[in-house]
Amino acid sequence: MADSLRAALINEYRQRQRELARSVVERPLATPPRLIAAVDVHLRGTQGVAAAVLCAYPTLEELAHYVALGQVPFPYIPGLLSYREAPLCLEAIRGLPESPDLILVDGQGRAHPRRAGIACHLGVELGLPTIGVAKSILVGRHEPLGDERGSVAPLVADDEVIGMAVRTRAGVTPVYVSVGHLVTLEDAVEWTLRTTTRYRLPEPSRRAHRLAQDAARALPSNDSRD
């Protein structure tokens, strides 16, 4: 991709993210979710796999899942991963037999340079409550948090709390939780912990991660680059 075209593409999509950020609504969940979904993406070359898993709450029993496969046309650009991954995520979520009351997204929500990560993208597009549950920090920093399960520390960027570091299991590296859409940060932390059992990730997220990973491994090798 020519440098001038790449720069124009980056500027255009960053502006789209700023506009998306203004569409995000932060408000408390009206009722406790009965159906909770999670979505995760794995890439292999220019091919991608998105897996969505639907679970019942409070049992966390898996009710259904859907796997979407396809080419990933958008190039790798840090901070713009939602445009690379969101189309397959949307297909996977829409493939579930019932619409979830809440979606846990493997990635950032407000904890993003323009406050519009993939959890925001999916939430606004679907009109559903979403939470970003990321394995690493994209932007911001936090103070140390306690070692016990449930310990939290605000994730701060530009003097703004954009998310929360959350210890989901004693002594284990925290996850980084942020608002996607139609939830508050307090909701996001609460439901991340409510859906986490024996592992670092929430149970629906862990299942979606494993399903996407296994499906991606089964894809034929593709060594092409964007």
Side-chain angles (χ1 to χ4, degrees), residues 34 41 45 70 79 107 111 114 129 133 144-145 150 166 179 183 211 226:
R34 181 180 62 88
V41 176
R114 286 163 293 282
V133 184
L145 60 162
V166 180
V179 169
V183 296
L211 185 59
D226 296 312

Side-chain angles (χ1 to χ4, degrees), residues 5-55:
L5 179 58
R6 185 181 181 88
L9 182 70
I10 290 172
N11 288 335
E12 176 187 348
Y13 280 89
R14 283 179 175 171
Q15 182 57 36
R16 289 191 189 184
Q17 285 180 326
R18 294 184 187 99
E19 294 169 1
L20 174 67
R22 292 192 286 271
S23 298
V24 171
V25 175
E26 299 188 34
R27 70 184 185 205
L29 286 167
T31 58
R34 181 180 62 88
L35 297 175
I36 299 178
V39 64
D40 197 357
V41 176
H42 280 261
L43 303 177
R44 186 165 185 179
T46 60
Q47 301 174 94
V49 176
V53 173
L54 184 68
C55 294

Side-chain angles (χ1 to χ4, degrees), residues 24-25 27 29 33 36-39 93 101-111 117-124 128-134 163-164 166 175-195 202 205:
V24 171
V25 175
R27 70 184 185 205
L29 286 167
I36 299 178
V39 64
I93 294 165
D101 304 311
L102 177 66
I103 303 170
L104 307 175
V105 182
D106 175 42
Q108 312 292 346
R110 287 293 204 187
I118 188 168
C120 299
H121 189 134
L122 297 179
V124 170
L128 293 172
T130 53
I131 297 170
V133 184
M164 198 73 72
V166 180
V175 295
Y176 303 95
V177 175
S178 58
V179 169
H181 187 50
L182 298 176
V183 296
T184 64
L185 184 54
E186 291 78 10
D187 285 333
V189 172
E190 177 183 354
W191 286 97
T192 296
L193 288 169
R194 280 179 179 249
T195 54
S205 301

Side-chain angles (χ1 to χ4, degrees), residues 38-42 49-54 62 64-69 92 96 203-219:
V39 64
D40 197 357
V41 176
H42 280 261
V49 176
V53 173
L54 184 68
E62 182 175 329
H65 64 258
Y66 190 91
V67 175
L69 309 174
L96 294 171
E203 187 61 19
S205 301
R206 188 182 72 85
R207 294 183 186 186
H209 174 83
R210 186 173 59 187
L211 185 59
Q213 187 177 56
D214 289 347
R217 284 174 178 158
L219 292 173

